[in-house]
Amino acid sequence: MIELETVKPFFTDKDELLDEILGRYPEYGRRSAIMPLLWEVQRAERHVSEARIEEIAEILGMHATEVKGVMSFYSTYHEQPVGEYHLQVCSTLSCSLAGADEMTDFLVEELGIVNGETDAEGRFSLQKVECLGSCGTAPVLQVNDTYFERVTRTRCVQLLQALRSGELPEPWRERGGDNVSAEKATLGGDDA
Amino acid sequence: MSDAVMGEPTPIISRKDPRYQVTMYRHVGVDGAWTLDYYSSHGGYRAAKKAIADMGVPDVIAEMKASGLRGRGGAGFPTGVKWSFMPPVDGRQRFIVCNADESEPGSFKDRYVMEDDPHQLIEGMLIAGYAIQASIGFIYIRGEYHLAYERLLQAIREAREAGYLGSNLFDTDFSFDLVVHRGAGAYICGEETALMNSLEGLRGNPRLKPPFPAQAGVYGLPTTINNVTSFASAVHIIDKGAAWFSAMGTEDSKGTKLYQISGPVARPGVYELPMGTTFRELIFDWGGGPSMEIKAFIPGGTSTPMLPFSDEYLDTPMDYGSLAKLGTMLGTGGVILIPKEKCMVDAMYNIVRFYAHESCGKCTPCREGVSTWLPKMYQKLLAGLGEPGDLELMEEMVTNMRGTAFCPLADACAMPVQASFKHFRPEYEYLVEHGEPMYPKRSWWQE
């Protein structure tokens, strides 16, 4: 308990945010706020610590164990802090067919960490994840919240260089398929 | 054309048909299409106004039923019929929920719609909310879709300011507002009862059905859940009429649908095509053809059993009935091409590993079969340690997983494994016999 008291509660001076989140759900559905509250903490602190779990439980009138039980079900909440740049390589079929396994090997080599690890400086974490819904623009590498699509070896090298100099580049947003604007002109339609 | 001769217009089953119009996906990829300014200058909220101000609730549901739209999330249940399952209005809160937890490998249509055309989803939910008389809608979006989440929040703010969300919409008694709820990396939450648990702040385990969501849904209250593109379809059905929609497609599959193609193909991506379009048209005419030799294709997301890449199967119309006849499914319409040089056992291990990772562990066939023994068997084979009897054991395991689990996840894993045995058993046998795959490991990464 002594340790917990020394940590300043996360939501102390965030009344507005807290009200907004709790206000999304009906009174009888207060518990629904668990996931958004966990997201807020993780976004700011790159993980959700025991102290924050206790705090969220208190806000929602639940036991910490219950919050932890929910949190542990989902794969994108972290109990340990991830690095400043959390590299998530989609390794499911379409990405694998576009070189995701080789990209993972490359990153392991470059960063000196394996799947699930964070480097000693806390800069990079590497994680193989399952389908990110970017199969048409594979392989995809998610850095924190941002998707980088069609990551060729050249692009991967460039991206890593940028991140190492402390810069998160503009995302490569690829489309393909019907997204190609030039083709839109030929689609017809009367909605103008 | 033949219309005059036949008297009855022929259905549109190809995008090459000059009568075909792209609707749902028309604005995706256009810069700024996500703003209300853009959306309203392209006919935005016209359909919602028509439904809410000019049509009675039974008329909206009748129109949806007449359109023949079937749920675009994969199961293909008729949307209008689903809406009609809601109990009579009795004063209890009712909910409309959008399943935007798109996670079936090979599927990526919903992400683009939400990123680039979020108002279309809002408008579809307004129409559905009105039809089932719900005043609150939830959009359950997977946590990884961050840009889509931001764009949706922005679009909801704009819609509120413009009076498309809130009280007394279009000068009627109808009020409606939306809440966006982010998932956190769990495929199983795309199963509607697991989604509801997750939305309620519980672990995402599936619930027993019945009761169905219309009877006891979110917080035990009447709820209807649809996929992103089912809502998007509703906008155009109301706008252009059920007859326009049902003039496209085949007997059991009407309208237009977002198909996706990925794997080694010249132009991978999302294509909006009339239902009943053939795989050949998608792969060759729109996808630009394979970029390497192909041996198999997955018709609609990894849970749908694969088919050999041959003339016999390529001319199959992409509709519910035609695929069911071949022992597979339309699923999400996410086609994946599997190149000849990819070891089929390795490709299947990739798929099995996905379902193993996503199993919630609630029931035995899935926890022990999908999540534990099946991936172990694949690891054994791929390590070159396969023994006589292993393949028979694997086949027996997947047979025992079929239809015995609490939710469809175990079937989603077992069915594609069975298909790979059916069509590519020689590759398994080669691996067991030689201790190495018929097609050795190579790099797939482009420079």
Side-chain angles (χ1 to χ4, degrees):
Chain A
M1 283 312 285
I2 294 164
E3 192 200 339
L4 297 186
E5 282 160 14
T6 60
V7 181
K8 186 186 159 210
F10 181 83
F11 291 99
T12 296
D13 43 15
K14 298 186 180 70
D15 288 346
E16 216 170 292
L17 175 69
L18 196 56
D19 288 347
E20 189 272 316
I21 292 174
L22 294 172
R24 289 177 200 171
Y25 307 97
E27 189 48 43
Y28 49 81
R30 194 175 168 85
R31 188 186 165 120
S32 292
I34 292 183
M35 291 177 75
L37 293 176
L38 289 168
W39 271 123
E40 288 301 329
V41 171
Q42 175 156 305
R43 187 143 217 237
E45 305 187 337
R46 289 189 243 141
H47 77 305
V48 187
S49 64
E50 288 282 344
R52 301 307 185 216
I53 291 171
E54 298 261 358
E55 184 186 340
I56 290 171
E58 201 175 310
I59 290 168
L60 298 175
M62 298 165 60
H63 295 291
T65 316
E66 290 178 276
V67 175
K68 212 170 177 179
V70 171
M71 179 176 148
S72 64
F73 184 86
Y74 301 94
S75 61
T76 50
Y77 298 127
H78 312 298
E79 288 180 38
Q80 299 298 325
V82 291
E84 190 182 343
Y85 297 116
H86 184 207
L87 308 187
Q88 295 149 89
V89 186
C90 173
S91 30
T92 316
L93 190 58
S94 298
C95 278
S96 174
L97 289 173
D101 303 331
E102 290 76 32
M103 178 163 41
T104 306
D105 292 346
F106 172 80
L107 290 170
V108 165
E109 193 88 346
E110 280 288 318
L111 300 173
I113 48 174
V114 298
N115 180 30
E117 284 186 337
T118 301
D119 64 19
E121 296 77 35
R123 296 223 56 204
F124 290 101
S125 294
L126 180 62
Q127 194 183 357
K128 283 170 79 169
V129 296
E130 297 296 350
C131 190
L132 290 175
S134 187
C135 319
T137 49
V140 63
L141 177 62
Q142 186 185 348
V143 183
N144 301 343
D145 287 334
T146 308
Y147 277 27
F148 291 86
E149 299 173 66
R150 271 195 200 127
V151 185
T152 57
R153 183 186 292 272
T154 314
R155 280 181 158 188
C156 194
V157 170
Q158 285 169 0
L159 177 60
L160 207 53
Q161 230 163 25
L163 296 178
R164 276 176 167 150
S165 62
E167 175 211 346
L168 184 67
E170 282 294 301
W172 301 308
R173 296 193 60 227
E174 300 277 349
R175 285 294 193 245
D178 264 346
N179 300 282
V180 183
S181 305
E183 288 178 10
K184 290 279 175 185
T186 65
L187 296 181
D190 61 349
D191 58 0
Chain B
M1 291 215 324
S2 56
D3 294 5
V5 184
M6 305 291 289
E8 182 100 344
T10 51
I12 303 170
I13 50 164
S14 164
R15 183 153 142 186
K16 291 182 247 171
D17 191 316
R19 296 169 296 171
Y20 183 69
Q21 290 176 354
V22 166
T23 49
M24 266 187 291
Y25 214 64
R26 188 172 159 70
H27 304 290
V28 174
V30 177
D31 202 32
W34 50 87
T35 62
L36 181 58
D37 270 355
Y38 180 97
Y39 192 68
S40 24
S41 65
H42 290 81
Y45 292 104
R46 184 169 66 198
K49 181 167 187 282
K50 181 178 173 185
I52 296 166
D54 305 337
M55 293 169 77
V57 166
D59 303 334
V60 174
I61 292 180
E63 197 73 11
M64 291 301 290
K65 280 185 180 168
S67 76
L69 172 68
R70 294 173 64 170
R72 296 295 192 236
F77 192 82
T79 307
V81 177
K82 192 189 250 189
W83 291 4
S84 71
F85 283 162
M86 286 290 275
V89 173
D90 57 5
R92 286 184 298 164
Q93 178 67 51
R94 301 151 80 91
F95 299 105
I96 186 84
V97 176
C98 173
N99 184 345
D101 191 47
E102 179 173 65
S103 340
E104 171 82 2
S107 318
F108 45 98
K109 59 188 172 62
D110 300 346
R111 175 161 76 92
Y112 292 143
V113 169
M114 291 187 288
E115 285 181 357
D116 288 0
D117 204 353
H119 282 286
Q120 189 178 202
L121 172 57
I122 296 172
E123 183 169 11
M125 292 192 71
L126 259 170
I127 294 167
Y130 172 71
I132 67 155
Q133 291 291 290
S135 61
I136 298 177
F138 288 109
I139 301 174
Y140 186 101
I141 183 170
R142 65 178 297 189
E144 293 88 341
Y145 283 4
H146 199 263
L147 179 63
Y149 173 69
E150 295 284 337
R151 291 259 169 90
L152 274 168
L153 290 186
Q154 173 65 24
I156 289 169
R157 275 195 293 270
E158 284 182 320
R160 276 185 198 137
E161 277 165 27
Y164 293 124
L165 290 174
S167 305
N168 303 106
L169 301 174
F170 306 107
D171 300 316
T172 67
D173 294 339
F174 181 62
S175 301
F176 187 75
D177 209 348
L178 281 171
V179 175
V180 186
H181 186 92
R182 292 177 73 196
Y187 168 80
I188 189 63
C189 291
E191 195 282 327
E192 62 181 13
T193 62
L195 184 152
M196 295 192 298
N197 274 349
S198 182
L199 186 51
E200 290 182 21
L202 300 163
R203 292 167 68 87
N205 296 116
R207 300 177 186 173
L208 191 65
K209 285 197 277 192
F212 291 94
Q215 277 71 51
V218 181
Y219 310 123
L221 296 165
T223 301
T224 296
I225 304 180
N226 294 113
N227 176 262
V228 174
T229 43
S230 302
F231 289 119
S233 300
V235 173
H236 304 284
I237 291 167
I238 296 301
D239 188 41
K240 296 182 192 306
W244 161 79
F245 195 80
S246 62
M248 296 178 279
T250 55
E251 201 176 342
D252 70 351
S253 311
K254 300 297 185 192
T256 166
K257 174 174 165 59
L258 300 184
Y259 292 94
Q260 303 119 104
I261 180 159
S262 64
V265 63
R267 292 193 298 270
V270 179
Y271 293 93
E272 183 181 343
L273 309 173
M275 295 205 74
T277 301
T278 63
F279 287 105
R280 192 186 297 280
E281 183 177 329
L282 170 66
I283 296 167
F284 287 89
D285 297 340
W286 306 110
S291 52
M292 48 181 89
E293 199 179 339
I294 304 299
K295 64 181 163 192
F297 66 100
I298 294 172
T302 51
S303 64
T304 61
M306 66 176 70
L307 295 166
F309 192 81
S310 66
D311 288 343
E312 190 187 345
Y313 297 107
L314 283 172
D315 290 313
T316 308
M318 295 187 285
D319 64 30
Y320 296 99
S322 303
L323 285 157
K325 260 184 232 153
L326 296 177
T328 181
M329 292 179 301
L330 179 66
T332 61
V335 175
I336 305 176
L337 302 186
I338 301 179
K340 184 179 173 217
E341 286 187 19
K342 176 73 181 178
C343 167
M344 189 53 87
V345 184
D346 195 33
M348 276 318 302
Y349 173 55
N350 187 293
I351 294 174
V352 166
R353 196 202 57 209
F354 173 84
Y355 292 101
H357 181 262
E358 301 299 342
S359 169
C360 81
K362 181 185 175 109
C363 69
T364 312
C366 192
R367 184 182 58 245
E368 301 298 321
V370 175
S371 195
T372 311
W373 290 103
L374 201 52
K376 279 188 182 186
M377 291 303 290
Y378 273 97
Q379 285 161 7
K380 182 182 176 188
L381 297 190
L382 290 164
L385 302 170
E387 297 167 88
D390 280 353
L391 300 184
E392 291 72 20
L393 178 62
M394 289 169 82
E395 286 174 307
E396 196 191 323
M397 276 165 54
V398 289
T399 307
N400 289 337
M401 278 155 50
R402 288 291 303 277
T404 53
F406 194 86
C407 87
L409 192 140
D411 281 319
C413 179
M415 289 187 301
V417 170
Q418 285 181 319
S420 74
F421 269 93
K422 180 176 166 194
H423 300 297
F424 296 94
R425 206 172 197 283
E427 282 199 45
Y428 283 92
E429 286 163 356
Y430 186 98
L431 180 55
V432 172
E433 196 180 325
H434 296 81
E436 44 191 277
M438 193 182 282
Y439 300 99
K441 256 196 178 354
R442 49 156 282 188
S443 173
W444 300 92
W445 206 14
Q446 282 181 26
E447 284 302 314

